[in-house]
Amino acid sequence: MQRAPSLLRTSSAFRAISVHIYSPRLPAVRRAMATRSYKDAIEHLNSVQSNAASIEALRASGGRIAFAISEMVEYLNRIGYSASDLNRLNVIHVTGTKGKGSTCAFTNSILCHSRPDWKIGLYTSPHLVAVRERIRINGMPLSEEDFAKFFFEVWDRLENNTTRADAETSVRPMYFRLMTLVAYHAFLTLKVDATILEVGVGGRHDSTNIVPKPLVTGVSALGIDHVTTLGRTLKEIAWHKGGIYKEGVPALTVNQPDEGAEVLKQLATELKASEFVVVPPTPGLSNIKLGLAGLHQYQNANLAVHLVQTFFREKESVKPQATLPEVFADALKVTKWPGRCHTVQDPDHASITWFLDGAHTHESLDCCIQWFVSPEVALRPTEVVPRNTRVLIFNCTHGRSGGKFLDSVFGNLTMQLELHGQEDNPAAFFDHVIFCTNVTYQDGAYKGDLVAVSTPEAELTHLTTQRELAAAWSSLMPTFPSDRIYVLPTIEHAVNIVRALDSPQVDVLVTGSLLLVGGMIEAAGLSEVAL
């Protein structure tokens, strides 16, 4: 392998970059501006991010979670709306641990194909490359001009009306709350015909959970994530997720582990949902090739089909069909959701194929490895003898257990190789492993849309997480060559390592964090082909 000029061997366990490691500092928000551009909007938005210290203090104190909904309603009132105004959006509300974003993407595609004359709003999080991806109309992100317009209208209304019932409520909402307010304002201003709202975290106390009467609610697959906020058991997590169920509103979910299913069913009763449905298989669905890769996507597509069928029943009194409608099938076939089990050919380097998946829970990483280690992807026939070079680029965000994630990756890798009759040594499946931060560029800068201050500066400076991941990998696979394990300070450094490999064909799996995947799309120049 050709060495990058700035690489130095620092130990037998990993390689590191001998440069000053950038610690991200938030630019000060300008008080007076000649213009109010998209860049200005992002700068303002980044100014209300929670830094690592604030997040830890909030977790330790329990925060103001009991006031989350009342505070969000008050913010909504301050920008000129009442909660009942949100009923005009005709909301499909979706939560879950795994698959909620994909379910929303399938739902959006079905609605857009079924009602081409409608205006469909879609609000999701996080974004991959641009913040405006979070707010879409008929599948297309708001333009930079429209995003800036709606953002500053909300910002100004909040600045001009600081009246609060409780002095402890922040004058300005934090990042996700502010984004949700912008979405509400945009959708109400544009008079959308239907809205798909994806929960940010949990559900019960989430900023999206202030719509008094959505038309239908759905919970995708449950799993363990955000344990400091939602709890460490499936029962606790299900309690938060099922909090989006509403009186008189259909409550849907997929097949869940018993402990989670029991809680959801109980909550549907307590909250007086009009019905509780564990969605049955849709005849004909398994026969089509979905636009999103991975066997797990059929469960998400099935939930989306039932959400839309129920939505049409509630809104238009249209009786659900027993089999998959043709227009639904067409929509599912062309659904796109970048960064999830996503194959991208490098436009400037024909020898490199990027396999992008923002999996960041144990369950989603299982699905990622099942997709990647399959005859259609990494095990596909190639002209290269003995096979393509394989690279893993991995990171996980602060607060998640990277070592346990890698243990899960290794276990699933072993099972998939056995399943497909491969005699490969699991420890030799990848030829190179790279652990890097989510910082975008080699000079230590982020793209503005990708600034994240939730990771402690010291952790970035010392590459704490990346060093721990490298040590965990070496422990799991002691025969893996130490000179092929890299600890890098930025995503661009990782891209340079991949592009310097002397190999006719390179398959690169990028996973562990949606922030990492989004930064990779930016740093590797994949936006035109990936988004």
Side-chain angles (χ1 to χ4, degrees):
M1 185 201 76
Q2 181 181 344
R3 294 177 184 271
S6 58
L7 288 179
L8 293 176
R9 182 78 57 84
T10 57
S11 81
S12 60
F14 55 81
R15 293 177 180 180
I17 301 296
S18 58
V19 297
H20 172 70
I21 307 301
Y22 170 80
S23 297
R25 286 183 169 80
L26 207 59
V29 176
R30 288 171 285 175
R31 298 299 175 188
M33 297 185 192
T35 62
R36 286 183 145 192
S37 65
Y38 177 73
K39 180 181 178 182
D40 296 327
I42 299 307
E43 196 171 284
H44 278 66
L45 181 62
N46 285 338
S47 76
V48 294
Q49 283 195 51
S50 300
N51 62 27
S54 298
I55 292 173
E56 289 303 323
L58 204 61
R59 285 171 176 166
S61 68
R64 290 175 55 81
I65 197 165
F67 306 98
I69 295 300
S70 60
E71 287 183 348
M72 187 63 189
V73 170
E74 184 175 81
Y75 285 126
L76 185 72
N77 296 159
R78 284 174 54 197
I79 66 170
Y81 299 109
S82 66
S84 61
D85 289 331
L86 301 180
N87 289 334
R88 303 202 309 263
L89 298 179
N90 297 314
V91 168
I92 298 174
H93 200 191
V94 182
T95 190
T97 306
K98 177 172 66 72
K100 60 188 173 76
S102 298
T103 298
C104 289
F106 282 127
T107 301
N108 180 73
S109 186
I110 295 172
L111 281 177
C112 288
H113 281 75
S114 301
R115 300 292 185 271
D117 56 329
W118 279 15
K119 194 178 290 182
I120 312 296
L122 173 63
Y123 178 59
T124 60
S125 61
H127 57 278
L128 279 178
V129 175
V131 170
R132 59 193 181 89
E133 296 166 27
R134 296 181 181 226
I135 305 174
R136 297 173 183 255
I137 300 295
N138 293 342
M140 297 299 295
L142 290 180
S143 67
E144 291 189 355
E145 293 76 15
D146 284 344
F147 182 91
K149 172 183 177 293
F150 291 128
F151 177 87
F152 280 114
E153 286 172 353
V154 169
W155 182 273
D156 288 345
R157 292 182 190 186
L158 291 168
E159 292 288 286
N160 294 331
N161 178 9
T162 59
T163 302
R164 289 155 291 149
D166 186 341
E168 291 189 28
T169 300
S170 172
V171 173
R172 294 174 183 160
M174 300 307 287
Y175 191 105
F176 185 75
R177 284 180 168 183
L178 181 54
M179 277 300 306
T180 308
L181 291 169
V182 174
Y184 289 149
H185 175 53
F187 294 152
L188 286 166
T189 303
L190 295 170
K191 295 181 171 59
V192 297
D193 298 287
T195 302
I196 304 146
L197 291 181
E198 180 194 6
V199 165
V201 174
R204 182 176 298 270
H205 303 297
D206 190 73
S207 305
T208 61
N209 200 30
I210 63 171
V211 181
K213 194 153 187 175
L215 291 184
V216 60
T217 57
V219 179
S220 67
L222 295 174
I224 306 298
D225 194 24
H226 297 292
V227 294
T228 55
T229 304
L230 306 181
R232 298 184 178 277
T233 68
L234 214 56
K235 284 186 176 181
E236 291 173 298
I237 290 169
W239 182 83
H240 281 276
K241 305 291 184 181
I244 71 167
Y245 290 160
K246 300 286 187 301
E247 182 175 351
V249 177
L252 277 55
T253 191
V254 299
N255 284 316
Q256 305 281 9
D258 289 343
E259 57 182 322
E262 290 172 6
V263 173
L264 292 179
K265 185 177 181 179
Q266 181 181 348
L267 285 171
T269 300
E270 291 177 1
L271 298 172
K272 301 179 181 179
S274 60
E275 59 181 325
F276 176 71
V277 179
V278 178
V279 296
T282 301
L285 177 59
S286 61
N287 298 327
I288 69 172
K289 183 178 181 181
L290 300 175
L292 304 186
L295 290 175
H296 61 286
Q297 293 294 0
Y298 284 90
Q299 184 183 67
N300 300 326
N302 188 51
L303 177 57
V305 167
H306 285 276
L307 285 169
V308 177
Q309 294 264 39
T310 305
F311 176 87
F312 286 151
R313 186 193 71 193
E314 296 295 306
K315 190 176 190 299
E316 301 178 333
S317 300
V318 175
K319 185 178 179 180
Q321 297 184 30
T323 58
L324 185 67
E326 184 177 353
V327 67
F328 281 35
D330 291 341
L332 294 172
K333 291 175 185 176
V334 298
T335 300
K336 295 182 179 180
W337 199 231
R340 286 80 171 178
C341 294
H342 188 188
T343 302
V344 180
Q345 186 65 49
D346 195 306
D348 300 318
H349 300 78
S351 64
I352 300 174
T353 305
W354 301 90
F355 298 90
L356 311 174
D357 191 74
H360 54 279
T361 68
H362 286 286
E363 293 81 6
S364 57
L365 277 169
D366 290 349
C367 292
C368 171
I369 297 302
Q370 289 166 17
W371 162 68
F372 185 71
V373 187
S374 69
E376 295 76 32
V377 188
L379 303 180
R380 69 194 185 283
T382 67
E383 297 178 358
V384 178
V385 179
R387 61 168 176 77
N388 291 359
T389 296
R390 299 189 190 118
V391 181
L392 172 65
I393 300 179
F394 190 91
N395 190 34
C396 62
T397 51
H398 178 66
R400 291 187 169 95
S401 175
K404 290 182 180 179
F405 279 1
L406 291 180
D407 187 44
S408 178
V409 166
F410 182 68
N412 274 280
L413 174 57
T414 302
M415 287 190 293
Q416 286 300 111
L417 290 173
E418 292 176 355
L419 175 66
H420 297 296
Q422 300 291 312
E423 297 181 357
D424 302 36
N425 175 7
F429 182 80
F430 289 105
D431 301 288
H432 302 268
V433 180
I434 298 172
F435 302 108
C436 66
T437 72
N438 291 336
V439 177
T440 315
Y441 299 117
Q442 194 164 322
D443 63 1
Y446 287 92
K447 178 183 178 183
D449 298 72
L450 300 176
V451 168
V453 298
S454 57
T455 302
E457 280 197 24
E459 187 172 307
L460 281 176
T461 301
H462 300 294
L463 301 176
T464 307
T465 295
Q466 292 67 43
R467 291 173 186 265
E468 290 173 353
L469 289 168
W473 185 269
S474 293
S475 177
L476 283 167
M477 306 183 197
T479 61
F480 197 93
S482 61
D483 63 346
R484 294 190 174 190
I485 302 175
Y486 308 87
V487 169
L488 304 175
T490 74
I491 296 170
E492 189 176 7
H493 280 105
V495 173
N496 291 340
I497 290 289
V498 170
R499 289 179 173 165
L501 292 174
D502 184 16
S503 178
Q505 292 292 326
V506 182
D507 290 348
V508 189
L509 175 62
V510 183
T511 191
S513 164
L514 270 170
L515 286 170
L516 173 65
V517 169
M520 184 60 66
I521 291 173
E522 173 69 18
L526 306 177
S527 294
E528 289 190 10
V529 291
L531 301 178

